[in-house]
Amino acid sequence: MEPNDPSAETPRRFKLNKFFFGGVLLLAAVVLLVITSLKGNAQYYLTVEELAAGKAGQSANVRVSGVVLGDTIVYDPQTLDLTFTVAHIPGDNDEIEALGGLANVLHQASLDPHASRLRVVYNGVKPDLLTNEAQAIMNGHLGADGVFYIDDNGLLLKCPTKYEQATP
């Protein structure tokens, strides 16, 4: 074989093309897995008013935030059934800050008789932070009966005292 023989380069080009196409195929598989993974875990984040207005279907899995109304909390330790009502709080952080901060918004929403409300059902151990004026972030779905059913491990609570500003 001569050094300038084009047939000597064919196996080398074939190997390079094989690695290139293998790399492209591997990259495409990783991108596909990431997209399908993110799509499966995507959830809408709604306020109580948006959910009441029908912005999510009854079978849609959604995330809703509201303030817990303490006098509506009912817990059965035998069946682990927990029901309570949440009231609407704004979903926009700028609006919350303009209204005096989260602690103030939670307090005002719990006192407002005209705020949209949502009855909630959860089955599980009653969280210690489930108190009046706690912010509840719930993953679940709205039933045909208008009640929001929280998924297993779908209840996150934030204590309102964490948001009060310390006095100097």
Side-chain angles (χ1 to χ4, degrees):
M1 269 199 212
E2 295 180 21
N4 293 334
D5 185 10
S7 64
E9 299 233 352
T10 304
R12 179 188 273 174
R13 254 190 233 157
F14 180 71
K15 285 182 181 178
L16 287 176
N17 286 341
K18 188 167 54 170
F19 284 117
F20 175 74
F21 288 123
V24 168
L25 187 62
L26 183 63
L27 181 64
V30 168
V31 168
L32 180 67
L33 285 173
V34 167
I35 289 172
T36 56
S37 169
L38 292 175
K39 191 175 183 181
N41 291 329
Q43 288 185 318
Y44 296 104
Y45 186 92
L46 300 174
T47 64
V48 172
E49 284 183 356
E50 291 170 337
L51 187 64
K55 293 206 175 179
Q58 290 179 341
S59 62
N61 196 27
V62 295
R63 178 176 285 168
V64 180
S65 176
V67 61
V68 175
L69 304 178
D71 58 346
T72 65
I73 299 171
V74 177
Y75 180 64
D76 183 349
Q78 300 298 324
T79 62
L80 301 180
D81 288 334
L82 173 64
T83 61
F84 58 94
T85 300
V86 293
H88 171 77
I89 57 172
D92 181 37
N93 287 335
D94 292 334
E95 185 179 350
I96 290 171
E97 287 304 314
L99 293 171
L102 187 57
N104 188 49
V105 167
L106 293 173
H107 178 70
Q108 294 302 321
S110 69
L111 298 177
D112 184 1
H114 303 294
S116 296
R117 296 179 181 217
L118 179 65
R119 187 164 173 260
V120 177
V121 173
Y122 176 69
N123 185 269
V125 177
K126 180 183 174 188
D128 292 337
L129 291 177
L130 185 67
T131 60
N132 189 43
E133 297 182 13
Q135 181 184 10
I137 300 170
M138 307 156 291
N139 295 323
H141 68 278
L142 185 63
D145 54 1
V147 175
F148 189 79
Y149 294 92
I150 301 175
D151 296 337
D152 292 339
N153 299 318
L155 178 59
L156 174 67
L157 296 160
K158 295 181 179 181
C159 183
T161 58
K162 304 273 187 215
Y163 305 109
E164 293 175 0
Q165 294 181 0
T167 54

